[in-house]
Amino acid sequence: MEYKFAKRIQNLRASEIREILKVTERPEVISFAGGLPAPELFPVKEIKDVTRLVLEENGAKALQYTTTEGYTPLREWIADRTNKNMGSSFGYENILLTHGSQQALDLTGKVFLDEGDVVLCESPTYLAAISAFKAYGCRFKEVPTDNDGMIPDELESILYSTQNVKLIYVIPDFQNPTGRTWSVERREMLVQAAMKHNIIIIEDNPYGELRFEGEMLPSVKSFDKTGLVICLGTFSKIFCPGYRIGWVAGEEKIISKYILVKQGVDLQCNTMAQMEIAKYLELYSIDKHISNIKKAYKRRRDTVVKAMEEEFPEGVTFTRPEGGLFAWVELPPDVDSRDVLQKCLEKNVAFVPGGAFFPNENRQNTMRINFSNMPEERIVEGIKRISDVLREFIHAKLQASLGD
Ligand code: PMP
């Protein structure tokens, strides 16, 4: 039987991360691959309590359908939190709950993208945002990006020379995959440029609350005077990803479109999950919980950076993130991290090759290192093993070039 799939599916390929994650489920593998939070920090006991309480106090409601928008007390909490962290002035009407911010990315594509539209993104950018948007037939323009964010002149010239730009997608805080954070000036510049060209900005911010040092910076949203910035957020990294609860926050006129498309996708998020999270927020301190996560991740960040400084061979560079879950490694130009990964898997250590994070360029001499999911001693051992493989590769390339 020859199956006649939709055209849009022909451009999609299996995520490299998903394939690698299958291997990393083996306990002997030291994994820097997935973006997984530390499971030992999940508040399992507290969640047992809130589950019981929700069922005892409001069981029938928790098991019933609810509105597409979501459970109002939770939307109120999210609006307040977003206002505090991002300088917005949202009410609960500006918030739609989604199945993780991943669903918010997909709904964004449904709401804004027509075939042939262009999405501007950082170079590199979040892999699963590329897949979510691509399904709607868009093209990507990667805006050259340095340690401070998109480079203003490059952004301007792309905006002037490109037709059909619909969205600018950015992750300004502790970006996935690089761990980089935009400077304040670049955030303001981005809003000015988008305003001039009348383009929507998607500010995706799953990691902003996970800052280990320094001050929280004003969000991109905080410079928005005209309602062109849409904020995506999630409980995945500050609480538990298994709940699959995230949100999209924006002008009511925009949110009403997201609500329409969500109705066609899944009607609503899981009612029980929404009420359990709201109960947790009422009874426990999420700030204390986040503070514990940050302490653990900071130790792991310190460990991974120190290990990379001590072990990685010359010619290999890497970022030193001030928060979040990821560091980004650049290898000499002729070393392909997919080959490095094959060798590393033989030594039971994994990471994600960086090429897939570039929608067009495919720079294969890069790798993403996640540091949140492994205890410190395994981080040290894992970086040693990767370093041994890197030394072999760099040595072999050097020998080959001497032989040329
Ligand atoms: N955006 C970014 C930048 C991410 O890194 C992730 C998760 N890795 C998501 C969105 C999706 O997160 P979730 O669906 O778990 O909220």
Side-chain angles (χ1 to χ4, degrees), residues 1-12:
M1 167 85 194
E2 198 184 315
Y3 299 108
K4 293 180 181 165
F5 292 115
K7 273 198 215 107
R8 79 179 73 86
I9 218 78
Q10 290 162 14
N11 296 328
L12 299 182

Side-chain angles (χ1 to χ4, degrees), residues 11 45 82 136 165 245 259 321 338 401:
N11 296 328
K45 190 186 139 302
T82 309
Y136 296 95
V165 177
I245 298 289
I259 293 170
R338 292 169 300 182
S401 71

